[in-house]
Amino acid sequence: MNLLNYTLRYLAFALFGIISVWAVLFYINMLDEVYDSLDDGLDNYKLLILEKVNEDPATLSRTDFGEANYEIREISSIQAFQEKDSYRDTLMYMMNEKDLEPVRMLTTDFKYKDRFYELKIISSMVEEDDLIEDLFFALIWLYVALIVSILVVNNFLLKKVWKPFYHLLEQLKHFQLGKGEPVKTADTDVKEFRELNSAVTSLVLHTLETYNSQKQFIENASHELQTPVAISINKLEMLAEKNDLGEAGLEAVGQVIQTLERLTRLNKSLLLLSKIENRQFPETENVSVNDLAAQLTNEFADFAEYKDITIKLYENSRLSVSMQKDLAAILLSNLLKNAIVHNYSHGSVNIYIEKDHFSISNSGNPEALDKDKIFRRFHKSNSGKNNTGLGLAIVKAIADLYGFGIEYVFDNMHTIKIHVEG
Amino acid sequence: MKILIIEDETELSDVIRESLEMEHFLVESAEDYRSALDKIISFHYDCILLDIMLPGGSGLDLLQELKDLDKSDNVIIISAKDSLDDKLKGLNLGADDYLTKPFHIAELTARVKSVLRRKSFEGKNFIELSNLKLDAGERTLQIDNQPIPLNRKEFDILMYMIVNKSRLVNKTALAEHVWGDHMDEADDYEFIYSQIKNLRKKLKENNAGVEIQAVYGIGYKLVQL
């Protein structure tokens, strides 16, 4: 729900309440005023009738409303003393409406020549149900008009006043760490937005700073590790050459060397990742995927044969990509290595080269892998103790660097597709 | 043959020295920019191992000095930085090779010998051992003057083993040298065994005076019979 709808929803509820309460109060007040003025009219009429009675006693014989608005009836003195002036609402048959309609009736009494008479005067009244209906529709229209005008004004205001906010939002949406573009904020006169802009800008700068120093740290740490690892490996190799170790000793030394080699590979992979992310491979050239795939297939032939895996290269098209040569080789060889390592005996690896993409598929575990996780760093599936868990992360980093699409598909074969265009 | 190691990490420098002395080279070392510069100016070396990050200055500046003295062609840069920039700069300044730390002793030996060979034989690149004669340029092998056909990998393995003769060669070092860097992570490198088996067979069938022995847990060793 966007800001516009959100405020509108609350305003709509609030207005509904306010208008309803206002309508009740307004109605009560108005009716009160109407009665007041009707009763005044009836009072005035009474005086006029009394005057008429004095002038023309025949008036006293009007015992029925008929066409006039009053009737006179003789009553006993006791009744007259008991009775007081009263204003009442009552119903009376109206000829025009052919129905009982509400009327206001004044009942009073007077004395004429020592005899007592009761006088009833009526006045036609507001029809309350009609009044309520009219009022109700008037209010509905008012309500709708208010909501629509709020919608229009708010929309206009939102677009105008919140412009810097949406600008900032757009910038933040497209912000990516490591892309090196800081967030540009729009000028604004609104204090809150100015504060938001400066807060976001400083947050982003701080994040970038932390990110860069973190990257630098990884790179430096990896470099600093190389020399001690070199010393350890070389010392162990020299130790192994001294003939006094025995077979068990040699095996132990061999294992330590292998572990150190693993550390070296891990270190190199981390360095490579941080270099790719730092964009330290600016130079590009046209690399033929066909040639590279053929060359790597050849290089991996012994390894594949040892694992009893058949590699087949299907060149359905010529495909060249513009990228750094070493990275192209790393991208392809990591995929190939991955396809061979995560395979079984008598398995197969197929490389397909098409017009705008290439893919490598391999037989293996007959279950689809989690496509959200396989390109993550240090995500390890079951096999391969020599696996750094960075191979596919490097593939992803290289693909991202050049804007290639990367996709994992499972249809009994595990396939990784690299879309080099679009 | 005199070799100079310019490396500020004495432990690394010592282990390299120990290894090179086993190959009967005369080894000297320098630990900082100043002393390295003194040695370079005063003496002649057949091969110089040069670290780039040194106390008191950059190895690349030393390389510039060597280039000015016309002595830079026998330099092997050994650096912790696997940086393309440094590599290109180093090679442009006339360095012969660039080796990234950590490296295997066997690889260093092979590179040093390659530099020395290129210098001393002026293009003719023969290595003779027992009744074997390898032509590194033509990539051919003769045993008792009979040409023995080898595939590319068999030749590379034999060459590497002969350069490191009587030394323990780590199988990773061998695999990386022969099969290339892309083979890392490849399951203990057991796959190199089948090529070695073929090579052994060819050596034995032709009565070669050398044999490749397996050293359990580590790798291989070429011994003269």
Side-chain angles (χ1 to χ4, degrees):
Chain A
M1 181 173 284
N2 66 24
L3 193 61
L4 177 68
N5 293 339
Y6 197 76
T7 44
L8 194 67
R9 190 173 63 163
Y10 279 95
L11 273 175
F13 279 120
L15 278 177
F16 187 77
I18 290 168
I19 288 179
S20 307
V21 170
W22 177 84
V24 170
L25 291 176
F26 174 74
Y27 180 74
I28 292 171
N29 262 327
M30 195 177 67
L31 271 192
D32 196 48
E33 200 52 46
V34 168
Y35 281 126
D36 202 37
S37 116
L38 277 177
D39 295 350
D40 283 352
L42 289 172
D43 258 349
N44 185 45
Y45 208 31
K46 171 186 158 189
L47 294 177
L48 288 175
I49 291 169
L50 289 183
E51 235 167 65
K52 201 177 173 192
V53 167
N54 281 330
E55 282 165 18
D56 177 13
T59 314
L60 290 173
S61 59
R62 181 172 285 281
T63 56
D64 201 345
F65 283 110
E67 89 286 352
N69 286 339
Y70 62 92
E71 63 174 17
I72 297 170
R73 190 161 59 95
E74 199 179 339
I75 49 169
S76 66
S77 60
I78 302 151
Q79 263 179 312
F81 281 117
Q82 278 169 349
E83 204 159 45
K84 281 200 175 121
D85 285 7
S86 78
Y87 300 92
R88 280 191 301 122
D89 290 342
T90 181
L91 292 171
M92 194 167 271
Y93 186 80
M94 293 278 165
M95 294 284 278
N96 61 341
E97 304 272 346
K98 291 196 177 101
D99 197 6
L100 291 172
E101 291 294 323
V103 288
R104 188 71 170 166
M105 183 164 73
L106 168 63
T107 310
T108 184
D109 50 293
F110 62 94
K111 190 177 160 193
Y112 182 71
K113 294 181 178 165
D114 293 331
R115 300 173 79 151
F116 289 93
Y117 299 91
E118 181 194 63
L119 171 65
K120 282 185 178 168
I121 315 168
I122 57 162
S123 166
S124 148
M125 237 185 56
V126 203
E127 293 175 37
E128 278 188 47
D129 50 349
D130 288 353
L131 181 69
I132 288 174
E133 197 180 309
D134 287 350
L135 193 65
F136 178 74
F137 280 111
L139 287 179
I140 291 281
W141 286 118
L142 174 69
Y143 183 69
V144 169
L146 275 175
I147 296 292
V148 168
S149 54
I150 287 170
L151 196 74
V152 170
V153 170
N154 221 357
N155 214 341
F156 174 74
L157 268 182
L158 270 181
K159 288 247 164 69
K160 192 171 152 56
V161 175
W162 289 80
K163 207 173 170 183
F165 175 81
Y166 285 113
H167 176 82
L168 186 66
L169 193 65
E170 205 53 34
Q171 293 268 313
L172 287 179
K173 268 186 199 163
H174 292 111
F175 177 73
Q176 261 182 310
L177 264 182
K179 282 266 162 95
E181 288 163 29
V183 168
K184 283 188 225 84
T185 56
D187 285 337
T188 170
D189 293 331
V190 183
K191 180 171 155 272
E192 282 82 356
F193 289 148
R194 269 209 309 273
E195 281 179 10
L196 181 67
N197 280 346
S198 79
V200 168
T201 310
S202 79
L203 178 72
V204 166
L205 282 180
H206 180 71
T207 312
L208 279 176
E209 220 169 79
T210 315
Y211 176 73
N212 285 333
S213 72
Q214 200 70 26
K215 270 196 317 197
Q216 199 56 49
F217 175 77
I218 293 173
E219 203 171 330
N220 289 344
S222 299
H223 275 144
E224 290 303 320
L225 277 172
Q226 310 275 58
T227 305
V229 172
I231 294 170
S232 312
I233 290 181
N234 296 351
K235 281 203 162 190
L236 285 166
E237 283 177 332
M238 292 307 292
L239 177 67
E241 286 203 38
K242 287 168 189 146
N243 271 333
D244 47 7
L245 274 176
E247 209 166 78
L250 270 181
E251 197 188 352
V253 170
Q255 280 165 354
V256 179
I257 291 176
Q258 272 183 28
T259 312
L260 286 170
E261 283 165 356
R262 201 169 134 197
L263 180 62
T264 307
R265 283 197 296 274
L266 199 60
N267 212 14
K268 281 190 176 162
S269 299
L270 282 176
L271 257 176
L272 180 63
L273 264 177
S274 94
K275 274 186 192 167
I276 294 169
E277 281 166 5
N278 284 348
R279 297 164 177 269
Q280 288 177 9
F281 299 92
E283 62 287 321
T284 56
E285 57 190 279
N286 244 343
V287 182
S288 160
V289 177
N290 303 68
D291 295 350
L292 191 58
Q295 180 206 326
L296 287 171
T297 309
N298 193 30
E299 276 185 31
F300 278 88
D302 285 335
F303 181 40
E305 195 183 329
Y306 170 73
K307 302 271 284 177
D308 202 0
I309 285 159
T310 336
I311 305 180
K312 279 193 189 125
L313 179 57
Y314 298 94
E315 297 176 69
N316 298 329
S317 170
R318 299 289 305 172
L319 178 64
S320 326
V321 284
S322 168
M323 62 191 294
Q324 208 269 342
K325 195 174 76 216
D326 295 336
L327 288 186
I330 290 167
L331 173 76
L332 219 60
S333 68
N334 276 9
L335 285 173
L336 200 52
K337 209 182 316 178
N338 183 68
I340 298 173
V341 171
H342 300 283
N343 215 321
Y344 47 66
S345 228
H346 306 298
S348 60
V349 171
N350 299 326
I351 307 170
Y352 298 92
I353 301 176
E354 311 286 348
K355 202 164 84 308
D356 58 352
H357 72 272
F358 61 91
S359 62
I360 295 185
S361 34
N362 62 280
S363 52
N365 203 348
E367 268 172 45
L369 300 166
D370 187 342
K371 64 172 93 177
D372 295 327
K373 284 193 186 145
I374 54 169
F375 296 111
R376 277 192 204 158
R377 293 173 189 194
F378 300 118
H379 172 72
K380 290 192 187 182
S381 53
N382 38 18
S383 62
K385 64 179 159 66
N386 277 324
N387 206 329
T388 55
L390 289 172
L392 288 183
I394 290 173
V395 167
K396 174 94 165 61
I398 296 174
D400 287 350
L401 179 66
Y402 292 104
F404 299 160
I406 185 165
E407 183 189 5
Y408 166 80
V409 189
F410 177 75
D411 51 355
N412 290 321
M413 299 279 274
H414 301 271
T415 305
I416 291 176
K417 263 189 204 172
I418 306 280
H419 298 269
V420 299
E421 277 165 40
Chain B
M1 292 280 183
K2 241 167 79 176
I3 296 174
L4 174 65
I5 306 169
I6 306 172
E7 164 67 65
D8 60 326
E9 290 278 344
T10 45
E11 290 206 70
L12 187 62
S13 169
D14 286 350
V15 73
I16 293 172
R17 169 203 287 267
E18 196 186 338
S19 167
L20 291 175
E21 277 171 354
M22 283 173 81
E23 302 286 335
H24 309 292
F25 294 121
L26 199 62
V27 184
E28 287 186 18
S29 53
E31 281 164 22
D32 56 47
Y33 185 83
R34 196 66 242 168
S35 61
L37 193 60
D38 285 350
K39 285 203 154 102
I40 287 167
I41 293 171
S42 319
F43 306 104
H44 171 80
Y45 296 95
D46 297 291
C47 181
I48 297 171
L49 303 178
L50 175 65
D51 187 10
I52 293 207
M53 286 187 278
L54 288 171
S58 160
L60 289 173
D61 293 340
L62 275 181
L63 196 58
Q64 184 63 56
E65 291 286 340
L66 282 163
K67 190 178 177 166
D68 295 346
L69 295 166
D70 208 12
K71 286 179 175 178
S72 68
D73 61 333
N74 54 358
V75 172
I76 297 173
I77 297 170
I78 45 173
S79 170
K81 250 182 157 175
D82 185 11
S83 139
L84 209 62
D85 262 7
D86 282 1
K87 206 169 191 165
L88 288 177
K89 263 186 224 156
L91 296 181
N92 281 339
L93 285 169
D96 187 90
D97 213 340
Y98 189 102
L99 196 55
T100 310
K101 289 179 196 172
F103 42 78
H104 290 281
I105 285 286
E107 188 61 30
L108 182 70
T109 312
R111 305 260 183 132
V112 168
K113 286 193 177 169
S114 159
V115 167
L116 297 177
R117 235 180 12 251
R118 245 169 287 166
K119 271 188 60 145
S120 41
F121 297 103
E122 287 159 345
K124 275 187 191 163
N125 228 338
F126 291 109
I127 304 167
E128 284 181 74
L129 182 68
S130 183
N131 57 350
L132 278 74
K133 190 176 175 190
L134 263 88
D135 184 337
E138 295 291 318
R139 303 177 59 81
T140 53
L141 164 71
Q142 290 184 346
I143 301 179
D144 293 328
N145 292 319
Q146 287 297 310
I148 310 293
L150 294 179
N151 70 27
R152 185 186 73 78
K153 280 165 193 153
E154 287 164 355
F155 181 85
D156 285 344
I157 294 169
L158 183 62
M159 174 88 178
Y160 199 68
M161 295 307 297
I162 284 180
V163 164
N164 282 293
K165 66 167 193 290
S166 308
R167 302 287 304 271
L168 187 49
V169 175
N170 185 298
K171 61 186 170 195
T172 312
L174 183 61
E176 280 175 1
H177 184 86
V178 177
W179 278 267
D181 288 341
H182 298 310
M183 300 311 296
D184 59 359
E185 294 191 29
D187 283 10
D188 295 350
Y189 303 97
E190 292 299 341
F191 66 90
I192 69 175
Y193 179 69
S194 69
Q195 294 282 0
I196 287 178
K197 202 170 68 184
N198 293 341
L199 180 59
R200 272 180 175 162
K201 209 168 121 197
K202 283 185 186 172
L203 291 176
K204 195 163 183 186
E205 278 170 359
N206 295 288
N207 299 314
V210 297
E211 186 189 63
I212 298 174
Q213 294 177 344
V215 178
Y216 187 67
I218 299 204
Y220 300 94
K221 191 184 216 169
L222 182 128
V223 289
Q224 274 178 275
L225 297 170

